[in-house]
Amino acid sequence: MEQLINQIAALKASIEAFSEQDAEAYRIKFLGSKGLVKALMGEMKNVAAENKKDAGQLLNEFKIFAEAKYESLKATDTGAAGQQINEADLSLPGDLLPLGSRHPISLVKNRIVSIFQRLGFAVAEGPEVEDDWHNFSALNLPENHPARDMQDTFYIAQNPDWLLRTHTSSVQVREMEKGKLPIRIICPGRVYRNETISARAHCFFHQVEGLYIAENVSFADLKQTLYFFVQEMFGKDVKVRFRPSYFPFTEPSAEMDISCLICGGDGCNVCKHTGWVEILGCGMVHPNVLNNCGIDSNKYTGFAFGMGIERITMLKYQIKDLRLFSENDVRFLRQFTGTI
Ligand code: PHE
């Protein structure tokens, strides 16, 4: 018993002598599972039976004393973290956060949109899940029309009338149906086609289509609009040519080529040694389309055009594989910074 009393006295002295302001260090040294107070408690078993009661009381009182010291240290100690803040130089600049960059498709889309906005075109958007009317029938593609095969369509299983839009011409139909003329819109958006994924084709891609309907709109207006676009997008030196083509919703129809940006028209792999690359389809809106949408085709005429954003982006940045756009490889995506 006497030995225990001496031990308690010695430990009490060392607690009183503990001068650090670190509550956690104190806790570990004295109160922790391997601490000195705990070890002293273990002495209980060596105390003779008749002294156990007194010894227990002494130890309990001591434990309360040791814990009180811990509480008072905690109250004054700001802790290790607190001290670090006090010592830190608050005038230092913060760590730089890595900046993200826009997806190349977004960059090019924004650029295309801003060029047409300068010509007075407004942006119109519509649903990606469409009905047959807006994607096909209204556009002079009645059921069983062979030209429907030009665009391999994903249909929605629950309803044979629903599909994933194959082009954003569907948005143009919705706009024409509103009946507010004149119309001058561009329709950027994602479209879907059931194609095998390869370097040159994907089951989804992005388009910007345009539509202008007013009185006396002519093919010359269409050409001039597209000339302006090409020069803004690719520079003044790029040459343009129109080839006759066929789309059910335009008559006459054309495809527009630009001189190859890689070889300047001399011939290379990208232009398949022709010196030209196709970038869009266009034409005068077919009178049937105007009539289908409630517009008087005797009074109004219009032009429409449509281009794939991926294709323009590939030409502009000389990207050879379409799949890069949807693989989310940051080493690829990080290269496109700023605006264009
Ligand atoms: N809708 C056509 C397509 O997706 C593009 C186009 C639009 C062609 C307007 C002519 C006029 O291929």
Side-chain angles (χ1 to χ4, degrees):
M1 183 71 184
E2 200 166 330
Q3 199 194 345
L4 183 69
I5 291 171
N6 287 339
Q7 281 178 320
I8 291 177
L11 197 49
K12 196 168 181 185
S14 80
I15 286 179
E16 274 163 352
F18 188 88
S19 59
E20 291 172 49
Q21 280 303 302
D22 189 341
E24 182 60 9
Y26 173 84
R27 190 191 65 76
I28 292 167
K29 184 169 181 191
F30 294 99
L31 304 178
S33 57
K34 294 189 178 117
L36 295 169
V37 174
K38 187 96 179 199
L40 189 64
M41 296 294 165
E43 292 295 314
M44 231 353 229
K45 62 180 184 298
N46 300 327
V47 175
E50 68 268 25
N51 292 331
K52 280 229 192 282
K53 194 172 169 233
D54 290 345
Q57 200 174 346
L58 276 177
L59 281 171
N60 260 339
E61 280 167 14
F62 175 67
K63 200 175 163 203
I64 290 167
F65 162 81
E67 283 170 351
K69 166 96 176 181
Y70 176 54
E71 292 303 320
S72 81
L73 276 177
K74 265 205 308 196
T76 53
D77 177 19
T78 48
Q83 276 167 18
Q84 268 172 22
I85 287 175
N86 289 339
E87 286 159 16
D89 180 351
L90 296 179
S91 66
L92 284 175
D95 289 338
L96 286 181
L97 291 174
L99 273 188
S101 55
R102 285 205 193 284
H103 194 283
I105 297 295
S106 297
L107 286 177
V108 172
K109 183 203 80 177
N110 291 345
R111 178 82 181 108
I112 298 172
V113 166
S114 77
I115 294 171
F116 283 105
Q117 276 176 333
R118 281 176 55 200
L119 292 174
F121 284 78
V123 173
E125 284 175 318
E128 291 181 17
V129 178
E130 258 300 359
D131 51 42
D132 185 277
W133 170 256
H134 291 97
N135 196 81
F136 287 130
S137 298
L139 289 160
N140 204 27
L141 276 145
E143 220 178 311
N144 301 324
H145 192 290
R148 285 193 179 205
D149 294 343
M150 282 164 71
Q151 303 179 347
D152 298 297
T153 311
F154 285 116
Y155 286 91
I156 309 278
Q158 286 90 334
N159 187 333
D161 194 44
W162 290 348
L163 47 87
L164 295 181
R165 68 181 180 193
T166 60
H167 49 188
T168 59
S169 305
S170 52
V171 183
Q172 305 184 343
V173 173
R174 290 180 175 275
E175 212 61 30
M176 286 188 275
E177 283 175 341
K178 289 181 186 163
K180 274 183 70 184
L181 289 150
I183 295 172
R184 191 157 44 186
I185 52 163
I186 43 166
C187 312
R190 183 174 290 173
V191 300
Y192 302 83
R193 291 184 198 178
N194 190 359
E195 301 218 23
T196 311
I197 296 171
S198 73
R200 301 176 61 86
H202 211 294
C203 57
F204 67 82
F205 60 98
H206 301 79
Q207 281 191 324
V208 176
E209 294 215 353
L211 175 72
Y212 177 39
I213 299 177
E215 289 178 47
N216 301 319
V217 177
S218 71
F219 203 93
D221 297 323
L222 168 62
K223 286 178 84 172
Q224 210 53 46
T225 304
L226 294 178
Y227 278 138
F228 177 80
F229 164 69
V230 166
Q231 293 204 337
E232 289 293 304
M233 191 74 201
F234 298 109
K236 300 264 181 265
D237 296 334
V238 174
K239 290 196 274 301
V240 172
R241 77 175 184 189
F242 289 82
R243 282 179 291 106
S245 185
Y246 171 76
F247 298 102
F249 27 86
T250 47
E251 179 60 34
S253 303
E255 277 169 309
M256 192 177 85
D257 299 340
I258 58 170
S259 52
C260 180
L261 300 171
I262 315 291
C263 63
D266 295 340
C268 67
N269 283 339
V270 172
C271 60
K272 298 194 201 99
H273 300 282
T274 62
W276 297 95
V277 283
E278 182 212 318
I279 65 160
L280 56 80
C282 59
M284 301 305 292
V285 181
H286 197 293
N288 287 354
V289 174
L290 295 175
N291 295 335
N292 284 342
C293 300
I295 295 173
D296 182 354
S297 60
N298 293 319
K299 187 169 174 205
Y300 292 101
T301 50
F303 66 69
F305 57 87
M307 66 188 101
I309 303 178
E310 275 80 353
R311 190 171 178 77
I312 307 267
T313 312
M314 289 169 90
L315 286 172
K316 194 153 176 78
Y317 293 113
Q318 303 184 16
I319 297 164
K320 296 216 165 62
D321 193 329
L322 189 71
R323 290 168 290 197
L324 285 165
F325 293 128
S326 47
E327 281 170 350
N328 282 340
D329 184 337
V330 285
R331 291 168 305 176
F332 170 72
L333 297 174
R334 240 190 238 132
Q335 301 173 74
F336 304 90
T337 47
T339 50
I340 53 162

